[in-house]
Amino acid sequence: MKSVERVIVAGCGPVGAVMALALIRKGIPVTIVEADAEPKMDQRAATVHPPTVEMLAELDLLDDAFETGLQSPIFHFRDRTTGELVAVFDVQVLEGEVAYPFVLQWEQYKLVRAVMKRLESHPLADMRFSTRLVDLGQSADKVEATVVNPAGETELLQARYIIGTDGGRSTVRRLADIEFEGFTWPERFIKIGTQFDFIGAGTGYCTRNYFSDPDEWLNLFKVKGEDEEGVWRGIFPVPADEPDEAALSAEGVQRRLQGLFPKAGDYDIAYHALYAVHQRVAKTFNKGRVLLAGDSAHVNNPIGGMGMNGGIHDAMNLADKLADVWFGRAEPDVFDRYTRQRRKAQVDFVQAQTILNKKSLEERDPALRREHLDRLRKTSEDLALHRKFLFRSSLFDSLREANEVL
Ligand SMILES: Cc1cc2nc3c(=O)[nH]c(=O)nc-3n(C[C@H](O)[C@H](O)[C@H](O)COP(=O)(O)OP(=O)(O)OC[C@H]3O[C@@H](n4cnc5c(N)ncnc54)[C@H](O)[C@@H]3O)c2cc1C
């Protein structure tokens, strides 16, 4: 595909994959440029909130999603210091009001694979793996992207637009000289996967659990993994003064799981990884013919599972606007509206909420901690408050409010 009449999607994580599929379904040719040789088995995101499930339905991805994902309507808040179950939330209370009243636990690499299946032989899709974007320029009518191809040669690709879906360290964002405002937390987060069956062990947990603890909060969720056994994924904080090697050592990993639920013998470990955690939003999501979506535009801590979801919401919003411009139904200034809408969702909601989620789980002041847990309990016990909480935490509110921005 040599024509300039295409869009380059740089980066094929979950947001790039959704972006490419959404554009192609609207009839826009796409060149996907991905540095890795194949979609990697990235074990970061799995929580897919109900409005995002609606978007997957729009893209005809639900067959795969339901086959390899876990429907998970209930979540628990627990006080880890006492073992008390503080609050139970159930997305099924929204039955009849929303199309999919559950959270889908679907690992992000499965989403990418499902999209790849649909794009592999599509005439509008030009997929280039082992191809890294290294330089970028733009003029009034096109962008020029320099990539290093699988043979190690430099190639120049031209397109009408380029969308940076190349993650938190985005090359597109850097080359377009767009500021990434925010901060990095001093601690890191470790994710540990195990096939140990916490429900079978009689813990009383459900498949989505948040534990409040001033010393060591955690999240514990179940995903389907690669077989019917499933995998439990715990996310724990790692203090700034704990060396990486200690956190990632067999002893360090066992200590964290045994601290949660002591048992005879070691836990089997499916995978584990350490992550730096940031709260940052790009100053703009559009600059001329350069557009940003997903982690290249915003990053946040993963408590509440909002990063990938927000990125998919960006991609669906941008696909509509790009199609309008492409087919002459709108002027390019509609991309300013894209920034206004999706930046609002990020700044007013995702950043604020994820920072609050972290603060709530780690609160050290006993009175504030008690107050927070009491409020959660009361919210869960009152149907009107329960519904309101779910509309907010499931990202329905952020999506609606952002879409209302002119
Ligand atoms: C522990 C953890 C748990 C999380 N859980 C959740 C969750 O449950 N729900 C949720 O919504 N979010 C979650 N997140 C956040 C989520 O993982 C990210 O928001 C999501 O991966 C962003 O997707 P993306 O496609 O924008 O970027 P990425 O997934 O980072 O993909 C970027 C892609 O671009 C490619 N790339 C990079 N540079 C170049 C280049 N120069 N040229 C070509 N290709 C390039 C990379 O190889 C990569 O494939 C979690 C994060 C962490 C750390």
Side-chain angles (χ1 to χ4, degrees):
M1 205 185 287
K2 292 262 181 260
S3 164
V4 68
E5 295 304 330
R6 58 176 160 178
V7 172
I8 296 172
V9 172
C12 193
V15 177
V18 164
M19 187 78 245
L21 181 60
L23 289 175
I24 278 169
R25 286 170 60 96
K26 289 176 185 295
I28 299 174
V30 173
T31 291
I32 302 161
V33 172
E34 166 56 51
D36 285 345
E38 56 189 32
K40 56 180 154 283
M41 218 158 151
D42 193 326
Q43 298 286 3
R44 281 181 294 164
T47 294
V48 181
H49 288 296
T52 317
V53 179
E54 287 181 31
M55 294 172 184
L56 300 183
E58 216 179 307
L59 296 172
D60 282 332
L61 288 166
L62 284 193
D63 284 0
D64 289 88
F66 290 167
E67 195 188 322
T68 57
L70 196 66
Q71 294 180 27
S72 217
I74 294 175
F75 53 106
H76 288 173
F77 279 94
R78 291 174 177 271
D79 181 348
R80 190 179 174 191
T81 65
T82 61
E84 177 195 359
L85 174 59
V86 175
V88 177
F89 287 91
D90 184 352
V91 188
Q92 288 166 111
V93 305
L94 304 182
E95 179 96 55
E97 288 178 271
V98 306
Y100 302 98
F102 50 82
V103 164
L104 182 71
Q105 296 289 110
W106 197 33
E107 297 96 319
Q108 66 181 75
Y109 70 87
K110 294 181 181 170
L111 165 58
V112 177
R113 283 181 188 171
V115 172
M116 288 303 106
K117 241 174 34 187
R118 285 153 178 81
L119 294 187
E120 259 156 19
S121 53
H122 198 291
L124 294 181
D126 168 28
M127 282 167 37
R128 297 171 180 232
F129 282 84
S130 298
T131 303
R132 177 174 290 279
L133 177 99
V134 293
D135 205 0
L136 182 59
Q138 61 171 314
S139 57
D141 63 343
K142 62 175 189 285
V143 288
E144 290 190 322
T146 307
V147 299
V148 177
N149 69 21
E153 300 153 356
T154 298
E155 238 185 279
L156 192 68
L157 305 177
Q158 297 188 329
R160 289 288 173 230
Y161 292 95
I162 185 166
I163 305 175
T165 49
D166 51 345
R169 294 187 184 151
S170 173
T171 304
V172 174
R173 188 187 65 235
R174 178 173 55 78
L175 293 172
D177 198 18
I178 297 173
E179 215 179 310
F180 205 31
E181 304 164 319
F183 66 91
T184 298
W185 296 99
E187 68 269 51
R188 287 131 311 139
F189 288 7
I190 189 167
K191 190 183 58 242
I192 306 173
T194 175
Q195 282 196 312
F196 179 74
D197 179 6
F198 285 96
I199 291 179
T203 55
Y205 302 165
C206 67
T207 51
R208 294 171 48 76
N209 310 274
Y210 294 93
F211 295 80
S212 150
D213 186 344
D215 294 326
E216 189 185 62
W217 57 266
L218 77 118
N219 301 339
L220 183 70
F221 296 158
K222 190 177 181 189
V223 292
K224 258 199 187 160
E226 293 297 297
D227 58 37
E228 287 308 308
E229 298 297 307
V231 178
W232 289 81
R233 299 150 55 121
I235 296 184
F236 303 75
V238 174
D241 58 2
E242 182 175 336
D244 288 8
E245 309 76 60
L248 291 168
S249 68
E251 192 273 328
V253 168
Q254 290 296 330
R255 178 172 50 77
R256 286 201 154 85
L257 290 178
Q258 292 285 357
L260 166 65
F261 182 74
K263 74 172 193 74
D266 280 351
Y267 277 87
D268 70 278
I269 303 300
Y271 42 76
H272 63 298
L274 199 58
Y275 301 95
V277 190
H278 317 272
Q279 306 281 163
R280 294 180 189 275
V281 182
K283 192 140 196 168
T284 181
F285 295 6
N286 69 305
K287 191 166 180 181
R289 294 180 172 273
V290 178
L291 301 151
L292 301 179
D295 274 19
S296 72
H298 44 76
V299 284
N300 53 268
N301 82 63
I303 307 171
M306 297 181 175
M308 176 184 71
N309 281 270
I312 292 173
H313 298 186
D314 295 344
M316 297 301 279
N317 182 314
L318 183 54
D320 283 344
K321 292 186 171 56
L322 216 152
D324 283 346
V325 173
W326 195 268
F327 295 110
R329 298 187 294 259
E331 294 300 318
D333 64 1
V334 75
F335 298 129
D336 296 336
R337 184 165 180 232
Y338 165 67
T339 289
R340 287 195 296 277
Q341 292 184 327
R342 295 308 307 159
R343 249 191 133 256
K344 178 183 172 63
Q346 282 304 316
V347 175
D348 291 3
F349 187 81
V350 174
Q351 294 297 322
Q353 189 63 46
T354 53
I355 291 171
L356 191 68
N357 288 348
K358 179 172 177 298
K359 272 182 73 98
S360 308
L361 290 185
E362 71 189 9
E363 182 58 62
R364 291 194 155 273
D365 180 311
L368 284 177
R369 200 165 166 267
R370 193 65 257 160
E371 195 185 306
H372 171 67
L373 295 176
D374 285 346
R375 196 166 48 244
L376 268 176
R377 175 184 292 106
K378 283 189 192 131
T379 303
S380 69
E381 288 170 355
D382 176 306
L383 184 57
L385 294 176
H386 191 127
R387 289 177 59 262
K388 198 170 168 211
F389 180 89
L390 291 176
F391 274 115
R392 190 170 166 79
S393 59
S394 303
L395 295 174
F396 280 108
D397 287 352
S398 79
L399 191 60
R400 181 181 41 77
E401 285 175 27
N403 287 346
E404 283 167 4
V405 172
L406 295 176

